[in-house]
């Protein structure tokens, strides 16, 4: 299989080096321009790119209608869209504590979706 | 069809002052305004100056109305609770060449019977230290002043409502109902209304209105747009009104304080054939900036906190006085071609200033036409302004908050506008139903952050007080909604 | 909680700067510490920053904003900090008398022994960048949009153009995309990215959102609501290049064109403001020019990482508590710290050399232009080099720090002023 040349911006540290990656299918053959961490990043990006995802779900009984949530670990990039669609369907009820698992094992990834903050139960007349 | 004695078309300052003047009499009056709120035209986008009256071409209606109206502002602002300050104004000559122009202006001032005096460059610099040190002389007109232009609409109209006048916003005139060459009513997008008299105070559309009755087909409004910058009062403190030496076309680009405390710069004067095109332009802004720096060299762009533009209703009416060669005069007259129409047209500067006098002229015109104008015994001339938290002393603020806790929550941080004031305007006689309507009434959202902080809170308040979903809250009427849908409701 | 009318330390703002200040004040011996917050709950801007990127230094974790705030809110309660919420400060006097107003608590006057200003920033507006065009609905600062999308729960539009490649704009580009909106373009007037590269990759590249450098908004089109943006390319002097105009249909323009420290109250209290940072002149304890008034966080200058805001807050709170306990002004001499070559500004503006005996003093700065090659960050006293640190590059979007260490005490004490410069290696 022929080698493919690709450019990738590394985000491991703020420097943001542009890595030149040669790969043979999914196998990384060579990485120019990077450091050790950059090579690890390139390998990961090309075979199994992941991102920390932060979004929100609907919540009733609290001060605001949304509860911010985040993934407990970097999430597979190709499935982020699916995750977001799932999150839109979720509704929880106050009270919620920081890091409560809103979804466990999201989409079978083993990664949970956690509450980014505490939301107490409020009487809406409190406004 | 509902029947009235008089229908006023247009809720700008002229229409509102006229409504108030006419409310003195036992007449059934309706004012219709096509926009979602009153005063959305030139009345809320102008220099907010009560002119001394030295500038209009002597002998014209403009000159006459300005001269009659200027002294009226003390009483009318006190009766109606309109912020007004008789600050005086200066026409400033910069450099040796401009000094000659002052002489002819001084003469014109005398001809217009306006208090006006010449002062030296040194004296002018003493009175306004921020001025260009090359000031060579100036004219001082002590009777000029600053007014809150939107208050000058809402105050008289609220007073008119209290005295029995009806107001309909979102109601656009479409045609006259004429029988036997006499106006017997108007058609609008919200139905027909009968009347004996119509007062056309339709601003930039006053030509189109009168043409519907076949009146003055040659009269045309050529809108000219004026752009303004608003400067932060903490960056530049100036409470004078400074005019440059005027050009042929306009009074020129001013640098002036306001009742609100901010310093404004503008307006320029550009042909704007589209009557609704109130865009600010890069060219216009740079033109204003250069001119302003000639007067006050120290102003910097970093002081800018706002921009706006307004449309002048510049008409082509020839002055009716024999021998006066002037072709942009006010039209304040009873129509000849048809019975029952009074036209107030081409009311550009000094329109705001002249509004109280124009209103009285309408009263006279109706009397002359034989309309029975019996004075109401119960007419109440007083309209009290609602409290403005940031204008009160700390003691008064504490009292106000103690009386009504909603005045304790500051919603617009830059201008210190409270929830209590916003709610009061939403439920006032002419209710504020949009973000801009609240802005015009309270100056909310006009400060340093231009609404960044207050916008979500105001939208929430409007939704709550009007009982509408937040997605229906608008900036300035239908089509200008802020929010499109809840975050989590995505169209498939 | 019964509100008192006197406190040892009053902190204005419960964002990361305010929270850290209050906690540090308590922990360093101040008895009564109060935070006054204008919103109905504590956390400040972090409440709407629901994305990750917070706490990498302080907690060695990559947390979302609200979670980072929660840690400090919980600690503040634990150590006995009092909170006055839904309350707006109207005025602070030179002698620390605070006047505030609240729907819940009424009109209030509170006397403080020391004050910490932590009001954060506001956003640069459309008027301040002089965008021509109409004034329809649909022009919002990125922060206002963020508040709506993340907290109030509403989308302010369907199709967006974002002006400014600052972090807030890029974060919002991703956020809006997550929630089903379309971001048509991001325009940046400079020839380089304004925010972090990581955000460019993870917010724009990941979602195929086009960034155009050296572009800006030429005109805003739309009567009642934004209908389109006319973009244009510009040269290095920001002059529009004729013929490069493009009409981009959209219904919303988001502005991410810079943050400005919010020092209204500071000015009114007589605090001297640095025109370059738009924040107070401060010493190494974050005391301002008014004795007993301290300041911490974005209100001093715009930080890039919240972790450094926390660090600043801890210092300011500690200094405030120490002042309250000693009951008198420290009269130790201070020396000025000035911005030298390539440096736009330096914070703190003055430092007391004696304080080096207690620990490091970190000097923070931002550069004027990007230098994409190795540099030395140098602290000099006249010609004499006091300390230098190598950096692989420097960019305006990333704050640069250099610590002065206790070992340098003698050299700094002998100095009459320091200059911080950045030179190519």
């Amino acid at each position: 299989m022929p080698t493919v040349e690709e450019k990738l911006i590394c985000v491991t540290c703020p420097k943001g080096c542009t890595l030149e990656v040669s790969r043979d299918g999914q196998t990384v053959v060579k990485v120019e321009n990077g450091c050790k961490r950059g090579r690890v990043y390139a390998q990961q990006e090309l075979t199994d790119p992941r991102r920390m995802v932060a979004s929100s779900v609907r919540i009733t009984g609290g001060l605001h209608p949304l509860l911010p949530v985040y993934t407990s670990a970097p999430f597979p990039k190709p499935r982020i869209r699916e995750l977001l669609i799932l999150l839109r369907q979720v509704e929880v009820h106050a009270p919620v504590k920081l890091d409560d698992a809103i979804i466990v094992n999201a989409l079978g990834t083993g990664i949970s979706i956690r509450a980014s903050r505490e939301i107490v139960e409020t009487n809406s007349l409190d406004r | 069809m509902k029947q009235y004695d008089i229908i006023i078309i247009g809720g700008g300052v002229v229409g509102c002052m006229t409504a108030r003047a006419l409310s003195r009499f036992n007449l059934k009056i309706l004012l219709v305004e096509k926009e979602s709120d009153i005063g959305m035209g030139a009345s809320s986008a102008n220099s907010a100056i009560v002119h001394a009256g030295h500038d209009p071409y002597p002998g014209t209606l403009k000159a006459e109305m300005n001269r009659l109206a200027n002294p009226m502002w003390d009483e009318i602002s006190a009766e109606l609770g309109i912020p007004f300050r008789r600050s005086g104004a200066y026409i400033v000559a910069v450099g040796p060449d401009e000094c000659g122009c002052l002489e002819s202006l001084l003469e014109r001032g005398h001809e217009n019977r306006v208090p006006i005096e010449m002062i030296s460059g040194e004296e002018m610099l003493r009175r306004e230290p921020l001025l260009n040190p090359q000031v060579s002389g100036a004219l001082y007109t002590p009777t000029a002043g600053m007014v809150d232009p939107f208050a000058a609409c809402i105050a008289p109209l609220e007073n008119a409502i209290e005295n029995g006048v009806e107001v309909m916003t979102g109601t656009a005139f479409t045609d006259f109902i004429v029988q036997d060459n006499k106006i017997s009513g108007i058609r609008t997008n919200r139905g027909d209304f009968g009347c004996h008299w119509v007062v056309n105070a339709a601003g930039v559309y006053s030509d189109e209105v009168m043409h519907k009755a076949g009146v003055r087909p040659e009269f045309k409004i050529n809108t000219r747009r004026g752009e303004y910058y608003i400067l932060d009062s903490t960056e530049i403190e100036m409470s004078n009104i400074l005019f440059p030496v005027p050009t042929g076309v306009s009074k020129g680009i001013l640098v002036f304080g306001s009742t609100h405390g901010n310093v404004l710069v503008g307006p320029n004067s550009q042909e704007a054939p589209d009557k609704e095109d109130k865009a600010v332009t890069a060219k216009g802004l740079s033109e204003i900036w250069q001119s302003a720096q000639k007067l006050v060299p120290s102003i910097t762009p970093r002081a800018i906190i706002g921009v706006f533009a307004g449309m002048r209703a510049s008409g082509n009416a020839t002055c009716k006085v024999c021998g006066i060669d002037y072709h942009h005069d006010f039209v304040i007259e009873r129509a000849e071609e048809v019975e029952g129409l009074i036209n107030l047209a081409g009311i550009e500067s000094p329109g705001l200033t002249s509004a109280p006098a124009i209103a009285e002229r309408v009263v006279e015109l109706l009397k002359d036409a034989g309309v029975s104008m019996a004075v109401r015994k119960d007419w109440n001339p007083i309209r009290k302004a609602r409290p403005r938290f940031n204008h009160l002393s700390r003691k008064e603020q504490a009292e106000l908050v103690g009386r009504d806790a909603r005045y304790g929550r500051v919603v617009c941080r830059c201008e210190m506008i409270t929830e209590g004031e916003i709610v009061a305007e939403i439920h006032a006689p002419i209710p504020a139903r949009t973000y801009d309507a609240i802005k015009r009434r309270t100056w909310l959202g006009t400060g340093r952050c231009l609404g960044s902080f207050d916008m979500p809170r105001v939208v929430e308040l409007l939704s709550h007080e009007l009982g509408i979903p937040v997605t229906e809250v608008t900036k300035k009427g239908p089509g200008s909604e802020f929010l499109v849908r809840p975050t989590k409701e995505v169209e498939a | 909680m019964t509100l008192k009318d006197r406190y040892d330390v009053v902190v204005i703002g419960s964002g990361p700067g305010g929270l850290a200040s209050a906690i540090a004040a308590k922990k360093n011996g101040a008895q009564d510490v109060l935070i006054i917050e204008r919103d109905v709950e504590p956390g400040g801007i972090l409440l709407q920053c629901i994305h990750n990127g917070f706490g990498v230094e302080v907690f060695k974790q990559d947390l979302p904003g609200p979670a980072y705030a929660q840690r400090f809110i919980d600690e503040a309660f634990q150590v006995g900090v009092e909170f006055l919420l839904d309350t707006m400060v109207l005025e602070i006097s030179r002698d620390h008398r605070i006047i505030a107003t609240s729907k819940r608590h009424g009109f209030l006057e509170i006397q403080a022994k020391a004050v910490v200003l932590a009001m954060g920033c506001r956003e640069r507006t459309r008027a301040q960048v002089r965008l021509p065009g109409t004034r329809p609905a649909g022009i919002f600062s990125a922060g206002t949009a963020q508040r709506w999308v993340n907290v109030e729960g509403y989308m302010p539009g369907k199709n967006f153009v974002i002006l400014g490649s600052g972090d807030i704009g890029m974060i919002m580009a991703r956020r809006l995309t997550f929630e089903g909106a379309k971001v048509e373009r991001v325009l940046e007037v400079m020839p380089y990215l304004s925010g972090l590269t990581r955000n460019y990759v993870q917010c724009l590249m990941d979602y195929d959102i086009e960034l155009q450098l050296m572009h800006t908004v030429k005109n805003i089109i739309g009567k009642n609501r934004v209908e389109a943006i006319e973009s244009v390319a510009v040269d290095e002097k920001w002059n529009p290049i004729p013929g490069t105009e493009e009409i981009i249909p959209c219904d919303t323009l988001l502005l991410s064109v810079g943050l400005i420290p919010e020092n209204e109250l500071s000015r009114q209290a007589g605090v001297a403001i640095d025109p370059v940072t738009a924040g107070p002149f401060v010493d190494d304890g974050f005391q301002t020019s008014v004795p007993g008034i301290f300041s911490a966080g974005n209100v001093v200058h715009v930080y890039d990482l919240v972790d450094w805001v926390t660090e600043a807050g801890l210092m300011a709170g500690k200094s405030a508590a120490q002042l309250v306990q000693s009951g008198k002004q420290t009269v130790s001499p201070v020396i000025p710290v000035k911005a030298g070559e390539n440096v736009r500004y330096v914070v703190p503006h003055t430092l007391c050399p004696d304080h080096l005996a207690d620990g490091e003093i970190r000097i923070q700065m931002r550069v004027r232009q990007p230098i994409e090659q190795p540099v030395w960050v140098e602290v000099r006293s006249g010609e004499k080099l006091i300390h230098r640190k190598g950096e692989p590059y420097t960019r305006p979007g990333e704050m640069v720090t250099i610590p002065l260490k206790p070992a340098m005490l003698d050299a700094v004490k002998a100095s009459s002023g320091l200059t911080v410069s950045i030179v190519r290696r």
Side-chain angles (χ1 to χ4, degrees), chain C residues 168-414:
Chain C
I168 307 176
M170 292 197 283
I171 295 281
M172 278 313 289
R174 177 177 62 188
R175 191 80 198 95
L176 292 166
T177 307
F178 272 10
E179 300 300 349
K182 178 103 181 26
V183 178
E184 306 286 348
R185 204 75 55 88
V186 177
L187 305 170
E188 168 56 57
V189 73
M190 298 303 270
Y192 49 81
L193 197 72
S194 176
L196 302 172
T197 306
R198 165 202 217 194
N199 285 330
Y200 172 63
V201 172
Q202 296 187 338
C203 300
L204 301 187
M205 282 181 76
D206 274 4
Y207 300 96
D208 294 317
I209 297 170
E210 190 186 347
L211 167 69
Q212 288 179 300
L213 296 175
M214 296 185 81
H215 275 71
T216 191
V217 170
K218 185 179 179 205
N219 205 9
I220 299 171
I221 299 159
K223 185 181 169 212
N224 291 316
R225 177 86 201 196
V226 170
E227 288 161 37
I229 294 300
E230 187 182 14
S231 68
V232 71
V234 298
D235 63 23
E236 334 66 55
K237 294 207 175 81
W238 294 10
N239 295 317
I241 300 171
T244 64
E245 292 85 359
E246 185 190 344
I247 306 275
I248 309 171
C250 61
D251 68 0
T252 318
L253 172 65
L254 240 49
L255 300 173
S256 175
V257 288
L259 296 175
I260 303 170
E262 182 63 84
N263 279 288
E264 250 314 279
L265 289 173
S266 324
R267 280 196 176 84
Q268 285 165 2
V271 168
I273 304 291
D274 175 359
V276 180
T277 57
F281 286 104
V282 292
D283 64 18
D284 57 293
F286 288 102
Q287 181 162 225
T288 67
S289 62
V290 174
I293 299 185
F294 299 80
S295 60
N298 272 2
V299 79
V300 177
H301 73 110
V302 181
Y303 282 75
D304 55 355
L305 281 191
V306 77
D307 305 68
W308 310 135
V309 169
T310 296
E311 181 186 73
L314 293 172
M315 174 59 84
K318 177 173 165 194
S319 307
Q322 285 173 343
L323 177 76
V324 166
Q325 290 176 295
S326 74
K328 61 164 172 64
Q329 263 307 284
T330 35
V331 247
S332 317
V334 292
I335 56 168
V337 184
K338 290 217 171 359
E341 199 186 326
N342 286 318
V343 175
R344 194 162 78 84
Y345 68 77
V346 173
V347 170
H349 304 81
T350 57
L351 62 85
C352 172
D354 287 334
H355 290 166
L356 274 173
D358 302 324
E360 268 183 19
I361 295 178
R362 282 166 158 318
I363 298 179
Q364 292 167 336
M365 72 204 81
R366 282 196 189 256
V367 298
R368 292 184 189 285
Q369 307 266 38
I371 304 177
E372 298 288 348
Q373 60 174 91
V375 295
W376 286 118
V377 181
E378 296 189 339
V379 180
R380 286 183 186 272
S381 169
E383 287 296 312
K384 181 170 177 209
L385 182 67
I386 305 277
H387 186 42
R388 68 151 68 152
K389 176 186 166 192
E391 290 281 354
Y393 64 88
T394 50
R395 294 176 189 143
E398 295 166 41
M399 209 174 74
V400 178
T401 311
I402 183 168
L404 294 181
K405 301 186 194 281
M408 298 162 199
L409 174 65
D410 291 329
V412 174
K413 255 185 111 147

Side-chain angles (χ1 to χ4, degrees), chain B residues 37-48:
Chain B
D37 189 19
I38 57 156
M40 284 177 73
S43 297
S44 54
N46 55 66
S47 311

